Amino acid sequence: MAAVNAASQMGSQRTVKMSKVFKSAENFWKAEREEIEKSGLPPRALESFLTFREKYPDTPEKLAEFCREKDFGLTCISDEDYPPILKEISNPPAVLYYRGKIETFAERIAVVGTRDYTDYGRKIAMHFGEELAAAGLTVVSGAAIGIDTFAHQGALKFGRTVAVLACGINWAFKHGGRKLFEKISERGAVLTEFNPNFTPNAGSFPSRNRIIAGLSRGVIVIEAGKKSGALITANCAGESGRDVFAVPGNIFFPKSAGCHELIRDGAILVTSAQDVFDQYNFEKVPVPTEKILTNEPAKLNEIEKKIFDIIPANEYITLDEILMQVDDIDVSEISAVMIELGLKNCVVEDGGRYTRK
């Protein structure tokens, strides 16, 4: 099925439909042109598929081999480990590539929000991530810089989290926040419907957002402007019969406008994780503060320690100011180091500035 889905013009809906018509994706992949023409596949998609199959006849074997070599998992909508809750949405992904472990029947809550966050939003995202994960729920988000990342970081302290990507999984581990993804893979899963080396584009983010909503019983929106992508996730949640929660903010902040509109239109107002627990009759589990990393020495590698030593304790410093004081790290690496220091609870970020925690 992954090979069929990899062909241009196919997509999840056509892949699933053709797999049903031909009794399996394998049968469709091997079918003669005349058989496919009779199936009702649109001419443009038919020609695109046949051209792809002729050019890359060994795609099924190559994809499977690639995933094994890279330690990526692959599950199809017809497989037993495919999350059944995801099948409920109107256009479920035909395939999911992942690293980590997809818990098929896990209870999941999504936490999403703006990339252009405030310190208020950061604190709330961390708080919700921590409390939801401590209660045994899996926190789902989109791995974007900002609210998404803070929700993942909070969840990683006490439980599981799932990052849904708008790109290929191999591309992400090469170009994205690799260290964060590795942490998430250890305590949850990084997953995507896109081919392993797919480069993200404007259209791939809404596709990702429908999966975030589809995997979750409810979606919590923290800080979202009127045009925020988080509102697309909320809309997907509403269309799929999921609960939509929104955190209120300062009425004078544009970043709160999207959340306030959601509340006006019927979203459930939440000010703490307890509000979510009450909605589902989940039992709150106290956050185990004795296990927070700040209560024990953080284990830093050489470069992390060098960066940490530069960061002041009582004032903020920017990435540019840090880079001016080191000569063996570049811009592409410094962000990954700062994410790691955040995961180890060593630093606090506020709008691109950092201080010790």
Side-chain angles (χ1 to χ4, degrees):
M1 189 173 284
V4 174
N5 197 62
S8 175
Q9 301 297 320
M10 286 304 296
S12 288
Q13 287 184 316
R14 285 176 179 162
T15 296
V16 172
K17 181 180 179 180
M18 289 299 103
S19 297
K20 290 180 178 178
V21 169
F22 286 85
K23 308 302 182 184
S24 73
E26 182 179 4
N27 289 341
F28 174 66
W29 180 265
K30 296 178 179 179
E32 298 293 335
R33 181 188 184 97
E34 293 74 16
E35 294 179 90
I36 301 177
E37 287 176 340
K38 295 176 184 177
S39 71
L41 189 67
R44 185 179 176 186
L46 183 147
E47 295 301 332
S48 177
F49 171 73
L50 292 176
T51 299
F52 178 82
R53 186 177 67 176
E54 181 179 356
K55 188 174 182 179
Y56 306 107
D58 57 351
T59 297
E61 296 79 15
K62 289 290 187 182
L63 260 178
E65 180 183 354
F66 182 84
C67 287
R68 283 194 299 271
E69 290 177 353
K70 296 291 186 177
D71 192 29
F72 297 143
L74 176 61
T75 184
C76 301
I77 195 169
S78 57
D79 294 338
E80 291 184 358
D81 61 345
Y82 186 98
I85 191 173
L86 195 52
K87 296 180 183 180
E88 298 173 3
I89 67 176
S90 61
N91 181 22
V95 299
L96 291 173
Y97 297 90
Y98 65 93
R99 176 172 286 174
K101 183 179 180 182
I102 298 178
E103 291 192 333
T104 309
F105 299 100
E107 291 281 10
R108 307 179 191 88
I109 299 292
V111 178
V112 297
T114 181
R115 294 169 182 262
D116 187 19
Y117 61 92
T118 66
D119 190 52
Y120 168 78
R122 177 189 65 79
K123 290 176 179 177
I124 292 174
M126 291 285 289
H127 170 73
F128 272 93
E130 291 171 1
E131 294 218 324
L132 292 169
L137 301 174
T138 297
V139 176
V140 182
S141 198
I145 293 172
I147 298 300
D148 290 14
T149 296
F150 296 125
H152 288 307
Q153 290 177 350
L156 283 170
K157 292 182 181 180
F158 307 115
R160 288 178 51 82
T161 186
V162 170
V164 184
L165 306 175
C167 60
I169 191 166
N170 195 53
W171 190 95
F173 274 87
K174 282 185 175 181
H175 300 91
R178 182 175 58 83
K179 289 192 175 183
L180 176 60
F181 295 149
E182 288 174 351
K183 289 282 186 182
I184 293 174
S185 298
E186 293 169 3
R187 300 288 295 274
V190 176
L191 62 84
T192 180
E193 68 175 324
F194 298 106
N195 299 327
N197 290 306
F198 178 82
T199 302
N201 59 47
S204 63
F205 288 92
S207 294
R208 173 206 60 181
N209 293 348
R210 88 185 194 287
I211 298 177
I212 293 174
L215 280 170
S216 310
R217 287 189 63 173
V219 174
I220 304 169
V221 182
I222 300 173
E223 284 198 327
K226 289 189 175 183
K227 296 183 178 180
S228 172
L231 300 185
I232 297 176
T233 309
N235 185 55
C236 291
E239 291 176 349
S240 300
R242 311 297 196 247
D243 293 311
V244 178
F245 304 92
V247 177
N250 189 320
I251 63 171
F252 298 108
F253 283 6
K255 298 179 184 67
S256 299
C259 290
H260 294 160
E261 287 190 359
L262 288 174
I263 294 169
R264 181 198 64 196
D265 294 339
I268 302 167
L269 186 153
V270 291
T271 57
S272 70
Q274 184 62 53
D275 294 329
V276 180
F277 300 145
D278 291 343
Q279 179 72 14
Y280 301 114
N281 293 320
F282 292 145
E283 182 178 351
K284 179 178 179 179
V285 176
V287 174
T289 53
E290 71 276 4
K291 293 183 179 179
I292 292 179
L293 290 174
T294 49
N295 288 340
E296 58 184 53
K299 296 179 180 178
L300 307 181
N301 62 33
E302 184 177 346
I303 189 64
E304 289 167 355
K305 188 175 186 309
K306 176 182 280 191
I307 298 301
F308 181 72
D309 288 343
I310 294 172
I311 299 170
N314 298 310
E315 58 183 282
Y316 284 88
I317 187 172
T318 66
L319 291 184
D320 287 340
E321 289 170 332
I322 295 173
L323 286 168
M324 290 174 63
Q325 300 181 54
V326 291
D327 56 10
D328 57 351
I329 188 170
D330 57 33
V331 177
S332 63
E333 296 175 303
I334 188 68
S335 295
V337 174
M338 300 313 296
I339 287 174
E340 188 67 19
L341 289 174
L343 287 171
K344 292 179 177 179
N345 233 29
C346 294
V347 300
V348 173
E349 181 186 7
D350 180 12
R353 302 176 306 145
Y354 298 85
T355 188
R356 292 191 185 187
K357 190 165 184 177

